[in-house]
């Protein structure tokens, strides 16, 4: 790489064949062709063929293939061919499932790709960071991820955290002057910025010098492997599968021994035992979890919630506290100036006509912003600042006209600690600094007041009047900004003194209307046993007014400020946390304290954030939620979920989806395990009682193929139930078999096996082959009908909308169709089953339907004895 840090800005621009207005769209396309996309190379995934081959590495499948080979040696060619065909079909289905899960996870990565602001064709555009090319001009501000390596061409108080690259935690202050030496370490290249680092203060512009694997981060990535994401629920089910697998192997070995001692041919008994083990071990559970989670993630994306970390989907269903920012999340983030306070008077902004004093207040505040409104009316920047620029526009003046007259020469960017922003402007041969911010932080810095155009020392009476106006506006739910200024002697000023001895000009009150859907979403949370906590930087009275109107603040609950929070020790906060519903005038670092206090009380906390300083709280929370519109790239990277609409109601929808996903996984677990238990018990009981062999090896493998795959996956696509947001959140450590599911699985497995044994005994009066056929058919149809039972653990099958899950109906239909094709002369011979007469078919269908009725009776008892959200609970929440 060229030593760009030793060259001045003009040389760098020339060498990269670009200009400060940015590249043209056509040039960008050419450079993408030349340099490729700005992304790190990922570890090459398995091909579909490799996935298919890996299906045969399973220990039980290897044993089954050995058994097939032995069958061929002893002349059982047809049996061997059929078993091999079913094993191959199973492997193919497993590969399709694995591939689908991988594709869904790849799509998830694409959804969470960061964005960057660039100059293209002379205009500011927001593009995916992968589309950035060498020569691009990138705009940087606090909270941005640096998307590529670049040489700085502008820097205003710019500080960058480069710990991800250098390990040095102290932010690096940047400048644009060339360095003397080529042999300078990365940490000392203060005129360069690097991909993967974060801007924590100020703003700047850079010209891109390296992308993708040609960045410093790319060099590191080329030496490292990629870590695979682990999903806690998947791991737990994997362990469960292994435990059940060992138990199944033990029972299958016992069945083999009993069958052998009773005189069943050893090869036949061996094949049956191994096939039963293959069918009974729930090896598909972890794959079903991944696919169900991935499908849920896609559904969430359609509801404006992008999941960045897959385990968060599971955690969402357990969330019982949501700590949310007010602005933009509970409100529309469409700030509008409605009132002003100047010269000891509060005035409605819309009633103002040709008032020079009001114009001065609005014009001064608009100069101290980074916001823009384009000619097409597009609003760019922080909504509070956009509101000031829009107010100026209503007064007939464009911000760009003011900027040309009052040229900005320096600035102190806004930060959440100071809650202030200062800009310095040159007008002819005069210099003026403008500071705007929260009145509580700014008024104390004022030594003078602009009283009807005359500057005089500020009096106690003035301070009391300002304080009263501030409270009056805040009580009406307004956000208030104070605007101050002071004249400077020349451009040789002390930056440390810019925010001292200021001249108070006025207050600006603006309204951010609550989102219409927020109140209903908060009511939903109350019903669902989820506590909503509002966090805002606004005045205490403003926060209280909005919290009451939205239904967050109830009788006996508290509103506290960041100042009051500072006076509490952590133990005191832990003790009182459940009574505090609103936090006003808080700094981002307070959020970490709030999250930890709730977690100390055993809560599972979702926390929203958008700024660079919110990242620690987002990481600390069980579910970090970043804003997609106003959120910085740093916040998004720290979060588990990103809201593309910055809407509180979307968080509630995500919790609903999380609960639904977990519920659907439980449905799949119930279905698979009860079916597997039924297969084991059917063979075990018949063998133990000396009734004969109820199922052949090919029957067991066919059952595994037809019933264990598509229906189990389709259950993962069940829509939300009507009571999903009435139940209380589940505990973090709750077993997947909680709420009686384990007993339910066992009872249903026993019932299904007894009905299958009954079919076997009825068929036995005709012939062994008829008995095996009736058992085979009864077991398959019972399991297919059971997929309908499994749609709800307690709700009656006949109360659920039959067609609300078309995937399940389709999978059951395919299973029935495949099973009926076996009752033909050609296939019945291959599968060693007899063609059943009408009377035998009626017995099969009757026994299969009896299973549905018995499960319905089981559900009646569960509804009677189960602790459910009753009318009293719902009334309390309402």
């Amino acid at each position: 790489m060229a030593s760009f840090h030793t060259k001045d800005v003009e040389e760098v621009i020339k060498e990269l064949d670009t200009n400060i207005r940015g590249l043209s769209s056509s040039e960008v396309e050419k450079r993408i062709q030349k340099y490729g996309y700005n992304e790190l190379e990922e570890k090459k995934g398995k091909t579909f063929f490799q996935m298919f081959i890996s299906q045969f590495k399973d220990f039980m499948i290897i044993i089954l293939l050995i058994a097939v080979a032995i069958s061929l040696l002893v002349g059982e060619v047809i049996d061997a061919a059929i078993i091999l065909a079913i094993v191959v079909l199973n492997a193919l289905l497993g590969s399709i499932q694995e591939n689908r899960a991988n594709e869904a996870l790849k799509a998830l990565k694409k959804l969470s790709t960061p964005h960057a602001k660039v100059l293209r064709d002379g205009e500011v555009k927001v593009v995916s960071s992968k589309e950035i090319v060498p020569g691009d001009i990138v705009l940087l501000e606090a909270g941005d991820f640096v998307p590529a390596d670049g040489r700085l061409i502008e820097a205003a108080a710019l500080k960058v955290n480069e710990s991800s690259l250098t390990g040095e935690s102290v932010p690096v202050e940047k400048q644009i002057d060339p360095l003397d030496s080529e042999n300078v370490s990365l940490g000392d290249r203060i005129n360069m910025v690097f991909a993967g680092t974060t801007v924590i203060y100020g703003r700047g512009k850079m010209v891109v010098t390296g992308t993708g694997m040609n960045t410093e981060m790319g060099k590191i990535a080329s030496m490292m492997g990629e870590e695979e994401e682990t999903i806690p629920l998947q791991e737990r089910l994997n362990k469960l599968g292994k435990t059940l697998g060992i138990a199944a192997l033990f029972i299958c070995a016992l069945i083999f021994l009993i069958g052998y001692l009773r005189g069943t041919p050893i090869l036949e008994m061996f094949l049956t035992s191994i096939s039963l083990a293959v069918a009974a071990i729930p090896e598909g559970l972890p794959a079903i979890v991944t696919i169900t989670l991935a499908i849920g993630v896609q559904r969430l994306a359609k509801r404006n919630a992008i999941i960045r970390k897959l385990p968060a989907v599971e955690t969402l269903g357990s969330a019982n506290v949501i700590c949310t920012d007010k602005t933009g999340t509970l409100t529309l983030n469409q700030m509008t100036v409605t009132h002003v306070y100047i010269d000891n008077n509060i005035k409605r902004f819309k009633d103002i006509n040709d008032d020079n004093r009001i114009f001065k207040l609005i014009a001064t505040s608009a100069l101290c912003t980074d916001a823009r409104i384009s000619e097409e009316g597009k609003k760019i920047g922080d909504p509070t600042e956009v509101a000031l620029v829009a107010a100026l526009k209503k007064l007939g003046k464009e911000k760009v006209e003011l900027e040309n007259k009052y040229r900005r020469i320096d600035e102190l960017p806004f930060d959440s600690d100071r809650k202030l922003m200062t800009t310095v402007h040159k007008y002819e041969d005069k210099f003026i600094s403008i500071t705007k911010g929260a009145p509580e932080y700014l008024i104390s810095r004022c030594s003078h007041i602009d009283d009807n155009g005359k500057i005089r020392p500020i009096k106690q009476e003035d301070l009391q009047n300002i304080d009263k106006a501030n409270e009056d506006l805040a009580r009406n739910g307004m956000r208030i900004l104070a605007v101050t200024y002071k004249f400077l002697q020349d451009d040789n000023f002390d930056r440390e003194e810019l925010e001292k001895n200021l001249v108070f000009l006025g207050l600006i009150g603006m309204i951010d209307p609550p989102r219409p859907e927020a109140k209903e979403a908060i009511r939903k949370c109350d019903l669902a046993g989820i506590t909503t906590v509002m966090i805002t930087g606004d005045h205490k009275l403003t926060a209280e007014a909005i919290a009451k109107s939205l239904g967050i603040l109830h009788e006996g609950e508290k509103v506290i400020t960041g100042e009051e929070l500072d006076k509490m020790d952590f133990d005191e906060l832990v003790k009182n946390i459940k009574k505090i519903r609103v936090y006003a005038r808080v700094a981002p670092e307070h959020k970490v304290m709030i999250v930890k206090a709730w977690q100390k009380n055993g809560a599972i906390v979702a926390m929203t954030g958008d700024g660079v300083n919110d990242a620690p709280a987002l990481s600390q929370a069980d579910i970090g939620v970043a804003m997609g519109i106003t959120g910085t790239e740093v916040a998004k990277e720290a979060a588990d979920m990103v809201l593309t609409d910055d809407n509180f109601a979307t968080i509630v929808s995500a919790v609903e989806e999380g609960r639904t996903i977990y519920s659907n996984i439980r449905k799949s677990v119930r279905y698979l395990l009860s079916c597997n238990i039924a297969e084991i018990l059917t063979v075990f009981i018949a063998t133990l009682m000396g009734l004969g062999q109820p199922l052949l090896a090919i029957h067991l493998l066919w059952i595994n193929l037809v019933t264990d795959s598509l229906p189990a996956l389709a259950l993962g696509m069940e829509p939300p139930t009507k009571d999903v947001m009435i139940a209380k959140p589940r505990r973090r450590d709750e077993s997947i078999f909680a709420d009686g599911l384990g007993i339910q699985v066992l009872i249903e497995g026993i019932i299904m096996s007894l009905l299958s044994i009954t079919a076997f005994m009825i068929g036995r009066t005709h012939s062994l082959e008829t008995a095996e056929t009736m058992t085979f058919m009864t077991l398959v149809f019972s399991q297919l009908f059971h997929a309908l039972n499994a749609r709800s653990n307690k709700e009656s099958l006949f109360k659920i909308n039959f067609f609300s899950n078309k995937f399940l109906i389709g999978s059951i239909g395919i299973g029935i169709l495949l099973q009926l094709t076996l009752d033909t002369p050609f296939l019945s011979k291959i599968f060693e089953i007899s063609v059943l007469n009408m009377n035998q078919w009626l017995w099969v269908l009757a026994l299969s339907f009896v299973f549905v009725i018995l499960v319905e009776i089981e559900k009646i008892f569960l509804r009677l004895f189960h602790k459910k959200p009753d009318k009293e609970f719902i009334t309390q929440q309402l």
Side-chain angles (χ1 to χ4, degrees):
M1 183 189 288
S3 302
F4 291 109
H5 59 278
T6 62
K7 298 176 181 176
D8 60 31
V9 171
E10 290 74 19
E11 283 182 277
V12 174
I13 294 286
K14 186 176 179 182
E15 188 166 331
L16 291 167
D17 192 20
T18 185
N19 65 78
I20 56 170
R21 284 178 51 81
L23 299 170
S24 65
S25 300
S26 58
E27 181 60 26
V28 169
E29 290 298 321
K30 289 178 188 174
R31 295 196 185 196
I32 287 175
Q33 294 294 322
K34 181 178 178 181
Y35 299 105
Y37 283 110
N38 178 35
E39 54 191 0
L40 301 180
E41 291 174 7
E42 291 184 7
K43 188 171 68 173
K44 199 173 180 184
K46 288 194 290 187
T47 64
F48 186 81
F49 180 71
Q50 287 170 325
M51 290 179 204
F52 178 71
I53 295 299
S54 69
Q55 302 291 320
F56 293 92
K57 293 177 182 176
D58 184 85
F59 177 70
M60 301 309 303
I61 298 294
I62 292 168
I63 293 175
L64 199 58
L65 291 173
I66 292 168
V68 167
I70 295 169
S71 298
L72 287 171
L73 287 173
V74 297
E76 298 289 341
V77 177
I78 294 176
D79 277 3
I82 294 298
I83 292 169
L84 185 63
I86 293 171
V87 168
V88 169
L89 275 172
N90 258 321
L92 188 63
L93 197 60
S95 306
I96 291 168
Q97 286 179 2
E98 187 180 345
N99 188 57
R100 184 175 181 182
N102 288 344
E103 289 302 316
L105 292 174
K106 281 182 189 174
L108 175 60
K109 280 188 178 179
K110 286 179 184 175
L111 281 173
S112 55
T113 302
H115 290 76
K117 293 182 284 293
V118 297
L119 279 171
R120 296 263 174 92
D121 302 310
E123 293 181 7
V124 177
K125 294 182 180 178
V126 178
V127 300
S128 169
S129 60
K130 67 176 282 190
E131 294 171 9
I132 286 172
V133 295
D136 255 327
I137 305 296
V138 177
L139 281 64
L140 301 170
E141 59 186 42
D144 285 348
F145 263 106
V146 179
D149 287 3
R151 171 70 161 86
L152 286 167
I153 58 177
E154 275 184 30
L158 187 68
K159 292 181 183 178
V160 179
N161 184 334
E162 297 181 343
S163 58
S164 59
L165 197 62
T166 65
E168 178 55 59
S169 59
V170 178
V172 180
E173 198 163 337
K174 297 290 183 177
Q175 49 103 330
I176 64 169
D177 298 329
L179 304 179
D180 295 331
S181 173
E182 287 199 13
N183 300 318
V184 178
S185 66
L186 286 182
D188 292 326
R189 293 181 193 176
I190 55 175
N191 57 9
M192 300 284 292
V193 285
F194 304 101
T197 60
T198 56
V199 180
I200 63 163
Y201 192 80
R203 61 182 182 85
K205 273 184 194 175
M206 73 171 198
V207 56
V208 175
T209 57
T211 58
M213 297 305 287
N214 292 321
T215 61
E216 296 297 331
M217 193 62 79
K219 292 173 188 175
I220 295 170
S222 65
M223 297 183 280
M224 294 171 63
E226 192 177 330
E227 289 183 24
E228 288 189 15
E229 186 172 40
T230 57
I231 303 164
L233 179 61
Q234 190 182 47
E235 287 179 347
R236 292 201 299 273
L237 288 177
N238 217 347
K239 287 177 184 174
L240 171 68
K242 285 176 182 175
T243 304
L244 293 173
I246 291 166
L249 283 172
F250 175 77
I251 295 170
C252 291
L254 193 60
I255 289 169
F256 171 75
L257 184 62
I258 294 169
Y260 172 69
L261 292 174
R262 289 191 179 278
T264 307
I266 189 167
L267 178 62
E268 186 180 326
M269 205 63 234
F270 178 67
L271 275 172
T272 300
S273 300
I274 295 299
S275 300
L276 181 60
V278 170
I281 294 170
E283 74 286 340
L285 267 182
I288 284 168
V289 170
T290 304
I291 293 167
T292 304
L293 287 172
I295 290 166
V297 164
Q298 290 167 340
R299 282 206 299 237
L300 278 167
K302 289 175 185 173
R303 297 176 80 168
N304 300 315
I306 295 171
I307 299 294
R308 295 190 65 258
K309 299 167 186 176
L310 208 53
V313 183
E314 179 192 346
T315 314
L316 272 168
S318 303
N320 53 12
V321 174
I322 300 175
C323 297
T324 174
D325 288 317
K326 175 187 74 70
T327 306
T329 312
L330 294 171
T331 60
L332 290 169
N333 207 12
Q334 294 173 3
M335 306 296 289
T336 306
V337 174
T338 58
H339 291 75
V340 295
Y341 171 80
I342 192 168
D343 303 330
N344 201 23
N345 284 303
I346 293 177
K347 298 181 181 180
R348 288 175 54 165
F349 182 70
K350 67 178 183 179
D351 295 340
I352 294 163
N353 292 308
D354 299 324
D355 188 320
N356 289 331
R357 295 290 293 154
I358 303 303
F359 178 79
K360 180 178 180 179
L361 175 63
I362 297 297
T364 303
S365 68
L367 274 171
C368 187
T369 69
D370 291 323
R372 292 276 184 280
I373 298 176
S374 69
E375 290 179 8
E376 298 79 27
K378 186 179 179 182
K379 297 171 180 178
I380 302 162
D382 178 82
T384 302
E385 294 194 341
V386 167
L388 300 174
V389 178
L392 180 69
K393 199 176 180 76
K394 283 180 185 174
L395 295 176
K397 200 77 170 177
E398 295 292 337
K399 185 189 174 189
V400 68
E401 294 177 53
L402 285 180
E403 287 179 322
N404 290 335
K405 191 174 181 181
Y406 297 90
R407 185 169 58 85
R408 186 188 295 191
I409 60 170
D410 202 355
E411 64 189 270
L412 296 178
F414 174 85
D415 77 37
S416 54
D417 292 326
R418 287 169 31 252
K419 296 197 182 298
L420 305 174
M421 176 181 177
T422 297
T423 55
V424 182
H425 303 265
K426 183 179 181 183
Y427 169 55
E428 296 176 350
D429 58 348
K430 297 173 185 173
F431 297 88
I432 183 173
S433 72
I434 303 168
T435 304
K436 74 175 194 313
E440 296 95 313
Y441 290 78
L442 189 51
I443 305 304
S444 60
R445 295 169 182 257
C446 294
S447 58
H448 290 74
I449 187 169
D450 183 331
D451 185 1
N452 282 295
K454 294 177 181 177
I455 297 174
R456 62 170 174 80
I458 199 162
K459 300 175 186 175
Q460 188 61 36
E461 184 186 351
D462 297 320
L463 294 173
Q464 289 172 352
N465 290 338
I466 293 167
D467 192 48
K468 185 178 182 303
N470 186 28
E471 285 195 11
D472 288 344
L473 294 172
R475 239 182 228 104
N476 287 294
M478 288 184 206
R479 170 176 287 187
I480 303 109
L481 280 178
V483 183
T484 67
Y485 68 90
K486 75 173 178 179
F487 291 104
L488 306 172
Q489 289 186 345
D490 50 41
D491 59 357
N492 187 26
F493 50 83
D494 183 353
R495 298 177 89 242
E496 298 292 325
E497 297 294 315
L498 283 177
E499 293 176 350
K500 296 176 183 177
N501 299 315
L502 302 170
V503 178
F504 175 80
L505 180 57
L507 302 176
I508 299 174
M510 51 188 83
I511 286 286
D512 183 13
R515 288 181 179 270
E517 64 275 20
K519 192 169 184 176
E520 174 60 22
I522 289 161
R523 193 187 73 86
K524 257 190 176 184
C525 284
D526 286 343
L527 275 173
I530 299 169
T531 301
T532 307
V533 176
M534 188 175 95
I535 300 174
T536 178
D538 280 345
H539 191 282
K540 187 175 183 178
L541 293 173
T542 304
E544 188 175 347
I546 290 172
K548 281 180 178 176
S549 71
L550 289 170
I552 291 174
L553 194 63
H554 307 107
E555 193 68 37
E557 292 173 337
K558 295 181 181 178
V559 182
I560 71 167
T561 64
E563 191 178 343
E564 292 171 288
L565 197 55
D566 285 332
K567 292 174 184 175
M568 281 187 190
D569 62 32
F570 183 67
D571 290 337
E572 189 183 351
L573 179 61
V574 170
K575 186 180 175 182
N576 293 298
I577 192 85
K578 292 183 180 180
K579 297 174 189 172
I580 306 166
R581 292 297 288 269
V582 180
Y583 297 85
R585 282 289 188 246
V586 293
E589 45 270 29
H590 287 131
K591 288 186 174 183
V592 178
M593 192 176 171
I594 294 165
V595 172
K596 285 182 176 177
W598 271 110
Q599 288 173 334
K600 195 82 174 171
N601 277 275
I604 295 175
V605 186
M607 169 65 81
T608 71
D610 56 8
V612 61
N613 290 342
D614 287 332
L618 295 176
S619 298
Q620 177 65 39
D622 299 281
I623 307 152
V625 183
M627 303 297 108
I629 299 171
T630 59
T632 60
E633 293 299 330
V634 172
K636 291 174 192 175
E637 187 66 20
D640 303 290
M641 180 168 78
V642 177
L643 306 182
T644 58
D645 59 356
D646 290 11
N647 192 343
F648 178 80
T650 302
I651 305 173
V652 182
S653 297
V655 171
E656 181 181 20
E657 193 67 54
R659 289 186 174 194
T660 301
I661 288 165
Y662 188 78
S663 172
N664 287 350
I665 288 169
R666 276 170 53 95
K667 290 169 187 175
S668 296
V669 167
R670 172 192 170 193
Y671 171 72
L672 282 173
L673 295 188
S674 56
C675 291
N676 290 356
I677 287 170
E679 291 161 23
I680 288 176
L681 288 179
T682 300
V683 177
F684 182 69
I685 293 169
T687 306
L688 193 64
M689 292 175 66
L691 299 175
Q693 196 173 343
L695 294 163
L696 300 177
I698 53 174
H699 298 161
L700 289 162
L701 292 172
W702 177 263
I703 291 170
N704 192 48
L705 178 70
V706 172
T707 65
D708 276 17
S709 51
L710 294 179
L713 275 175
L715 282 168
M717 301 180 193
E718 275 290 302
T721 56
K722 60 186 178 184
D723 64 344
V724 71
M725 287 300 279
I726 294 176
K728 291 181 180 180
R730 62 182 175 83
R731 296 191 321 275
R732 185 197 298 268
D733 58 349
E734 183 178 284
S735 164
I736 196 152
F737 292 111
D739 210 16
L741 187 69
I743 296 169
Q744 201 170 6
V745 164
L746 194 59
I747 290 170
E748 288 165 1
I750 291 168
I751 292 171
M752 199 185 297
S753 67
L754 291 175
L755 290 170
S756 300
I757 292 291
T758 303
F760 182 74
M761 293 177 77
I762 292 167
R764 200 80 172 81
T765 59
H766 295 82
S767 67
L768 179 60
E769 193 176 59
T770 300
E772 289 171 344
T773 305
M774 287 184 69
T775 308
F776 179 37
M777 293 294 180
T778 301
L779 204 50
V780 169
F781 283 109
S782 295
Q783 290 189 10
L784 289 173
F785 293 163
H786 187 38
L788 293 172
N789 289 329
R791 294 185 70 185
S792 174
N793 287 353
K794 296 174 184 70
E795 191 74 32
S796 170
L797 163 64
F798 304 104
K799 285 187 177 180
I800 301 170
N801 181 354
F802 189 75
F803 293 104
S804 61
N805 187 346
K806 292 176 183 176
F807 296 102
L808 182 63
I809 303 304
S811 68
I812 292 169
I814 290 168
I816 291 170
L817 192 64
L818 287 170
Q819 194 64 18
L820 290 176
T821 57
L822 301 184
D823 194 38
T824 56
F826 174 68
L827 289 176
S828 62
K829 188 176 180 182
I830 291 173
F831 278 82
E832 297 183 47
I833 59 174
S834 62
V835 176
L836 302 180
N837 60 37
M838 182 61 72
N839 187 48
Q840 290 160 350
W841 266 117
L842 284 172
W843 271 113
V844 167
L845 294 173
L847 288 168
S848 301
F849 191 69
V850 164
F851 176 68
V852 175
I853 300 302
L854 290 173
V855 173
E856 283 294 308
I857 293 168
E858 174 201 42
K859 286 181 180 181
I860 290 170
F861 281 101
L862 283 168
R863 287 197 294 273
L864 286 172
F865 295 109
H866 176 245
K867 290 180 182 178
K868 59 183 178 180
D870 52 25
K871 289 180 182 177
E872 185 184 347
F873 169 72
I874 295 169
T875 306
Q876 284 173 359
Q877 296 297 335
L878 288 169

